[in-house]
């Protein structure tokens, strides 16, 4: 059992998904979690869903927490950090999940030494299938980083990466579920055009994407090799692949993802 108090400042979609995963894993009890949010409606929902301590006071969360998640938008940092910097425990580990906010900028905002992990999870945390990247500052020990990973593994998988890779992480995993949803929607639209009922089309498309992703992760085979396995000579699949290539499918994905990474870098 994790013996620390975990606090969340911010209880939006990502924060609530992470809280749900932490509790479902039995890593901590409900008494070890505390959450703040400016919206009483959001807090009422969190209280009803998880039976944990909630408050509108960021200071109250900060002074109690051993691990403190900043689950807020980047533009809220300048408002929230001055509220909590003086009441934060000296050995508290702060975890930021804000896109574009660098370790150095967060350290400067606190104005003092603070144990800090910059993290980037994604929305599949809602179904405990997040992919998260973690970058600690120099004050976080190896043991503490392992503890933070233990929390992230409650709602998916994680990898420790150098901070220089974090903008690329935003492109490849932080924002990429949106691209995948577009792909699933387009596949379903095509199936509907060919006569399949809408609900069934979404199920076929989504399960195919899920299964293909699982093949990549579990077989260890190169995606190109797995693609070739499906493409029989003069078959249906190679005609579909040919159309995708004709219209720049891979190039479009690369350009879109790099635009996302560029925006993340500019936000820093």
């Amino acid at each position: 059992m994790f013996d620390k108090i975990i606090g969340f400042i911010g209880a939006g979609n990502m924060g609530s998904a992470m809280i749900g995963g932490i509790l479902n894993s039995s890593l901590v009890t409900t008494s070890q979690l505390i959450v703040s949010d400016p919206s009483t409606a959001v807090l009422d929902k969190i209280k009803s869903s998880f039976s944990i301590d909630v408050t509108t006071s960021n200071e109250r969360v900060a002074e109690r927490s051993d691990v403190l998640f900043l689950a807020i938008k980047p533009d809220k940092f300048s408002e929230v950090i001055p509220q909590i910097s003086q009441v934060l425990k000296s050995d508290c580990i702060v975890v930021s999940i804000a896109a574009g906010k660098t370790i150095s900028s967060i350290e400067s905002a606190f104005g003092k030494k603070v144990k800090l992990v910059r993290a980037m999870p994604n929305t599949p945390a809602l179904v405990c299938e997040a992919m998260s990247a973690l970058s600690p500052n120099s004050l976080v020990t190896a043991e503490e980083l392992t503890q933070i990973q233990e929390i992230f593994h409650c709602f998916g998988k994680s990898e420790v990466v150098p901070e220089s890779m974090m903008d690329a992480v935003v492109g490849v995993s932080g924002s990429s579920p949106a691209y995948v949803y577009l792909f699933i929607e387009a596949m379903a639209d095509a199936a509907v055009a060919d006569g399949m009922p809408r609900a069934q089309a979404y199920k076929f498309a989504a399960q195919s994407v899920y299964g293909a992703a699982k093949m990549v992760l579990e077989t260890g085979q190169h995606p190109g090799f797995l693609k070739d396995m499906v493409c029989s000579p003069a078959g249906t699949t190679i005609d579909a692949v040919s159309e995708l290539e004709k219209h720049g499918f891979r190039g479009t994905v690369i350009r879109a993802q790099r635009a996302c990474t560029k925006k993340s870098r500019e936000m820093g």
Side-chain angles (χ1 to χ4, degrees), residues 36 38 46 57 116 123 133 139 147 149-150 156 165 173 190 197 201 214 216 219 221 224 226 231 244:
S36 66
I46 292 291
S57 170
L116 178 65
T123 55
L139 299 180
Q147 292 173 344
Q149 280 198 280
E150 189 177 1
M165 284 175 52
S173 68
K214 197 169 184 180
V216 173
T219 67
Q221 297 286 356
L226 295 174
C231 293
L244 289 171

Side-chain angles (χ1 to χ4, degrees), residues 1-18:
M1 180 70 70
F2 201 74
D3 63 352
K4 299 181 183 300
I5 301 295
I6 301 174
F8 278 82
I9 294 180
N13 290 336
M14 183 60 72
S16 61
M18 294 166 73

